Amino acid sequence: MSKNLLITGASSGIGKAVALEFAKRDGSKNHLILVARNREKLEGVAEEARSFGAEVSVLTADFGQKESIAKLFIDLEKSFPILDLVFNNAGLGFVKEAHLLTDDEVEQIIDVNVKGMILVGKKAANIMIKQGYGHIIFTSSLAGYVLLPKWSVYCASKWGITAFANILRQETSKFGVKITTVHPGPVKTEFFDSNKADVDLSGSEKSMPAIPVEDVSGAIYEIAYTDKERIFCPPSLGVSAEAFRLFPKFMKKVFAKLVK
Ligand SMILES: NC(=O)c1ccc[n+]([C@@H]2O[C@H](COP(=O)([O-])OP(=O)(O)OC[C@H]3O[C@@H](n4cnc5c(N)ncnc54)[C@H](OP(=O)(O)O)[C@@H]3O)[C@@H](O)[C@H]2O)c1
């Protein structure tokens, strides 16, 4: 029987790449359930994934709205009572100094990256605890480990979701449910569309180079169903994160130089 994989934020970027990674590598072994707001884009991803033999379903939800998340899980219960893997990934960011962010921008980041991800994680965990197995992978960020000027609310959201996921891991391991956090640095996706962020990803001395999205989706495929607690993409960022923990004063200056 095929495995049910729920992927949020599957209409673009990392979520889309993860859907296509599982489709390409596993074909009909997976039933991919793709979720985001934009149905047209989701249908495009679904068509591409089906060309590799995967079974695919498309559902829409707004992860900034708790009613929409509740409805999604009612629909899932009817059509997909088993969830083998959940990639809890939908998110966004606005990159400006905190005093320049509008109230609406702050609300969107917290609603989707924190509240939405927590509600999806909690509901998925309930289903998996009843099953006695499952794996939830949360997309956090390097920003869930370090402090970056101009990313204050985004960092707050990713530190928050990292804390939640790690405690959920402690609570659910006894039920056979695995939890992993993924911490990418900059990745080439629609995340950096000019309306949201003005960031230099050229890889120049004064910037953080962005990695191809396939590097992240490949790493996620490799750790699916394993008990890995966290991964950094690229893995070398794990050293930077640890250096930040040990030498916060020094590393704050290093990271501040990389953010224009
Ligand atoms: N790109 C990076 O450098 C980077 C680095 C570290 C972590 N991340 C994290 O990776 C995750 C994916 O980002 P990405 O880089 O792939 O960006 P992206 O290309 O902009 O994709 C974001 C995805 O999230 C969905 N989404 C956003 N708001 C939503 C909402 N209210 N309801 C439902 N879906 C929503 C979008 O779909 P719709 O617009 O169709 O709803 C889209 O599918 C995010 O959590 C982000 O914080 C990104």
Side-chain angles (χ1 to χ4, degrees), residues 15 24 46 64 71 74 90 102 112-113 123 150 156 161-162 182 193 197 213:
K24 278 182 204 160
K71 184 181 175 309
I74 291 168
T102 66
V112 179
N113 295 11
K123 287 173 190 292
K150 295 193 183 171
I161 204 61
T162 303
V182 177
D193 281 359
V213 72

Side-chain angles (χ1 to χ4, degrees), residues 62-72 115-116 119 123:
D62 182 345
F63 293 111
Q65 308 282 338
K66 70 174 188 296
E67 298 79 10
S68 182
I69 297 171
K71 184 181 175 309
L72 169 70
K115 196 170 79 184
L119 292 177
K123 287 173 190 292

Side-chain angles (χ1 to χ4, degrees), residues 9-15 36-38 61-64 89-92 112-113 117 139-141 154 158 184-187 189-192 196:
S11 61
S12 75
I14 298 173
R37 289 167 301 182
N38 189 322
D62 182 345
F63 293 111
N89 162 75
L92 75 155
V112 179
N113 295 11
M117 261 200 197
T139 308
S140 176
S141 170
Y154 184 76
K158 293 300 185 181
V187 187
T189 70
E190 287 86 331
F191 184 92
F192 291 105
K196 288 189 258 174

Side-chain angles (χ1 to χ4, degrees), residues 6 8 61-63 65-77 80-88 114-136 138 161 164 168 171-172 177 179:
L6 176 72
T8 78
D62 182 345
F63 293 111
Q65 308 282 338
K66 70 174 188 296
E67 298 79 10
S68 182
I69 297 171
K71 184 181 175 309
L72 169 70
F73 275 84
I74 291 168
D75 293 345
L76 284 170
E77 204 181 337
F80 306 99
I82 300 284
L83 288 180
D84 294 279
L85 185 108
V86 171
F87 182 43
N88 194 3
V114 184
K115 196 170 79 184
M117 261 200 197
I118 287 175
L119 292 177
V120 170
K122 180 178 87 77
K123 287 173 190 292
N126 271 328
I127 293 169
M128 291 177 180
I129 286 168
K130 282 186 202 134
Q131 290 168 187
Y133 71 91
H135 188 182
I136 310 171
F138 288 78
I161 204 61
F164 173 78
L168 191 65
E171 294 172 349
T172 60
V177 179
I179 308 284

Side-chain angles (χ1 to χ4, degrees), residues 21-81:
E21 190 82 38
F22 278 89
K24 278 182 204 160
R25 292 171 73 160
D26 286 349
S28 61
K29 283 189 203 157
N30 295 315
H31 190 130
L32 305 173
I33 308 151
L34 310 182
V35 191
R37 289 167 301 182
N38 189 322
R39 180 172 285 279
E40 206 181 322
K41 283 171 87 176
L42 286 171
E43 292 293 358
V45 179
E47 205 177 305
E48 206 176 332
R50 285 189 195 107
S51 73
F52 298 109
E55 287 176 66
V56 189
S57 297
V58 164
L59 295 171
T60 56
D62 182 345
F63 293 111
Q65 308 282 338
K66 70 174 188 296
E67 298 79 10
S68 182
I69 297 171
K71 184 181 175 309
L72 169 70
F73 275 84
I74 291 168
D75 293 345
L76 284 170
E77 204 181 337
K78 286 184 205 145
S79 309
F80 306 99

Side-chain angles (χ1 to χ4, degrees), residues 103-210:
D103 292 355
D104 184 55
E105 287 168 342
V106 172
E107 194 172 51
Q108 277 187 62
I109 297 171
I110 298 301
D111 280 357
V112 179
N113 295 11
V114 184
K115 196 170 79 184
M117 261 200 197
I118 287 175
L119 292 177
V120 170
K122 180 178 87 77
K123 287 173 190 292
N126 271 328
I127 293 169
M128 291 177 180
I129 286 168
K130 282 186 202 134
Q131 290 168 187
Y133 71 91
H135 188 182
I136 310 171
I137 302 173
F138 288 78
T139 308
S140 176
S141 170
L142 174 65
Y145 255 85
V146 305
L147 301 176
L148 300 162
K150 295 193 183 171
W151 294 81
S152 58
V153 179
Y154 184 76
C155 279
S157 76
K158 293 300 185 181
W159 279 65
I161 204 61
T162 303
F164 173 78
N166 278 295
I167 296 168
L168 191 65
R169 179 180 167 88
Q170 284 178 291
E171 294 172 349
T172 60
S173 64
K174 60 180 175 285
F175 299 108
V177 179
K178 299 178 167 78
I179 308 284
T180 304
T181 54
V182 177
H183 302 268
V187 187
K188 287 176 195 151
T189 70
E190 287 86 331
F191 184 92
F192 291 105
D193 281 359
S194 54
N195 63 328
K196 288 189 258 174
D198 179 16
V199 180
D200 177 3
L201 301 170
S202 62
S204 70
E205 210 178 293
K206 286 188 180 166
S207 75
M208 264 197 256

